[in-house]
C-alpha cells in the first residue's frame, strides 16, 4: 500500500539501519544568525486559576532557559525561574525580552514557545511590539529535523526525548529528578504550596537542571547535525 514520504523514509532507514540525511540539511543549518539563542519555556496550567484574568488550564509561563552561542563558539547560559508570589507573567516577559536582546536567531524545539509568546503579547499590549519581533526570529530545530534528517533509533518520534539519545548518547534525562514538562509543572505548583524553604529550593534546583538540559540538548543537536554533513 502507498506510504507518505515520511513513512517511506522511516521504513527505508529501519530496513537499511542507517540515518537519512537530506541534501539540503547544510543550507538549512546555515539559515541562522548569531548569536544563536537556544530557548525553552516551562509553564504550568492550574485547574483552579491562581491569578486574576486567567482561566482554568491556561498555560502560565514561569521559567525559561537560554543557552546563547556566539559566532566564535562561546556559550553563555541565561535563565529565569519565578519566585513564589504573584502572577509571574509580567516579570517573565520583561526578563525574556531583555535576555534575548535584539540580535540573533532564537532556536526552539517545536512551535510551543511561539504560541506562549503570542499569548503574552495579547496579555501585555505595551510589550507586544517587542514580543512580535521575537516571533520573527524563531528558528524551529524540530522542523529542520523533520524535513532533513532521520535516524532509525528515533523509532518514529521527533520528540527531543527520542532524538537526543540517538544523536547525542552522552546526554540523558535519566539522572535528573524531573524528566518531562508535565512533571516540571507539578513540581513548580508544589513549590508554591509548601512553607519549607529548603524543600522549595531543592525543587527549584531540579527545575533549573531540567530546563537547562532542554536548551543544552539543542546546542548539542545542532552540533550533531553539522557533523552529519
Amino acid at each position: 500500500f502507498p506510504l507518505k514520504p515520511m513513512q517511506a523514509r522511516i521504513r527505508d532507514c529501519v530496513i537499511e539501519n542507517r540515518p537519512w540525511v537530506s541534501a539540503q540539511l547544510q543550507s538549512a543549518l546555515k539559515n541562522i544568525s548569531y548569536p544563536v539563542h537556544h530557548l525553552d519555556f516551562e509553564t504550568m496550567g492550574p485547574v483552579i486559576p491562581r491569578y486574576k484574568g486567567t482561566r482554568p488550564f491556561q498555560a502560565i509561563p514561569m521559567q525559561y532557559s537560554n543557552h546563547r552561542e556566539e559566532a566564535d563558539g562561546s556559550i553563555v547560559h541565561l535563565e529565569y525561574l519565578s519566585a513564589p508570589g504573584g502572577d509571574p507573567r509580567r516579570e517573565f516577559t520583561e526578563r525574556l525580552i531583555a535576555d534575548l536582546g535584539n540580535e540573533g536567531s532564537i532556536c526552539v524545539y517545536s512551535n510551543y514557545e511561539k504560541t506562549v509568546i503570542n499569548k503574552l503579547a495579547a496579555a501585555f499590549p505595551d510589550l507586544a511590539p517587542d514580543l512580535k519581533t521575537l516571533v520573527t526570529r524563531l528558528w524551529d530545530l524540530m522542523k529542520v529535523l523533520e524535513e532533513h534528517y532521520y535516524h532509525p533509533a528515533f523509532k518514529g518520534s521527533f520528540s527531543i526525548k527520542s532524538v537526543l539519545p540517538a544523536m547525542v548518547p552522552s546526554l540523558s534525562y535519566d539522572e535528573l529528578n524531573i524528566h518531562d514538562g508535565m512533571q516540571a509543572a507539578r513540581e513548580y505548583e508544589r513549590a508554591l504550596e509548601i512553607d519549607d524553604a529548603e524543600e522549595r529550593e531543592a525543587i527549584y534546583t531540579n527545575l533549573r537542571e531540567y530546563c537547562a538540559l532542554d536548551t543544552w540538548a539543542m546546542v548539542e543537536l545542532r552540533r550533531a547535525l553539522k557533523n552529519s554533513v
Side-chain angles (χ1 to χ4, degrees):
F1 55 89
L3 299 178
K4 295 180 180 179
M6 177 65 77
Q7 294 171 331
R9 183 183 308 161
I10 293 172
R11 176 202 59 191
D12 293 344
C13 285
V14 171
I15 292 173
E16 298 169 11
N17 194 30
R18 62 177 177 82
W20 171 83
V21 182
S22 161
Q24 291 77 42
L25 175 58
Q26 190 168 19
S27 60
L29 291 172
K30 290 182 177 179
N31 190 28
I32 57 172
S33 58
Y34 286 89
V36 180
H37 304 263
H38 301 81
L39 181 68
D40 179 72
F41 291 168
E42 299 301 332
T43 63
M44 63 173 176
V47 60
I48 299 176
R50 286 181 173 272
Y51 312 116
K52 183 178 179 180
T54 62
R55 56 175 175 74
F57 300 112
Q58 179 174 336
I60 307 294
M62 77 291 184
Q63 180 184 12
Y64 66 76
S65 172
N66 172 20
H67 275 95
R68 186 183 70 210
E69 181 182 8
E70 304 293 342
D72 63 3
S74 61
I75 295 177
V76 176
H77 183 226
L78 305 170
E79 63 181 356
Y80 170 83
L81 177 57
S82 173
D87 188 339
R89 290 177 298 164
R90 179 84 193 191
E91 184 179 67
F92 175 100
T93 306
E94 291 174 344
R95 282 283 300 275
L96 180 71
I97 292 170
D99 281 352
L100 292 175
N102 299 312
E103 297 181 336
S105 300
I106 303 171
C107 176
V108 294
Y109 202 86
S110 85
N111 65 352
Y112 187 66
E113 280 69 24
K114 178 180 179 179
T115 299
V116 173
I117 290 172
N118 282 332
K119 289 182 178 179
L120 289 171
F124 304 111
D126 59 315
L127 302 177
D130 289 331
L131 291 168
K132 294 294 185 182
T133 300
L134 295 184
V135 169
T136 66
R137 294 163 55 194
L138 295 178
W139 185 84
D140 191 345
L141 178 57
M142 184 178 183
K143 185 176 180 181
V144 172
L145 275 163
E146 288 176 337
E147 294 179 355
H148 301 290
Y149 188 89
Y150 187 81
H151 192 290
F154 291 0
K155 298 181 180 179
S157 171
F158 284 94
S159 162
I160 199 166
K161 305 298 190 303
S162 300
V163 168
L164 190 63
M167 300 188 66
V168 191
S170 60
L171 287 184
S172 173
Y173 289 83
D174 292 344
E175 296 181 1
L176 298 182
N177 291 309
I178 294 176
H179 300 101
D180 58 56
M182 291 185 66
Q183 185 183 3
R186 290 195 301 268
E187 285 295 284
Y188 180 79
E189 290 192 68
R190 185 165 73 88
L192 298 181
E193 300 293 342
I194 60 179
D195 297 323
D196 188 317
E198 185 175 341
E199 183 180 0
R200 184 186 305 114
E201 187 54 39
I203 294 173
Y204 271 44
T205 297
N206 293 337
L207 287 166
R208 292 187 185 98
E209 290 176 350
Y210 170 73
C211 197
L213 181 55
D214 273 346
T215 53
W216 183 248
M218 286 188 265
V219 174
E220 293 291 354
L221 285 173
R222 282 184 55 241
R223 288 176 179 170
L225 286 172
K226 289 179 183 178
N227 291 337
S228 73
V229 294

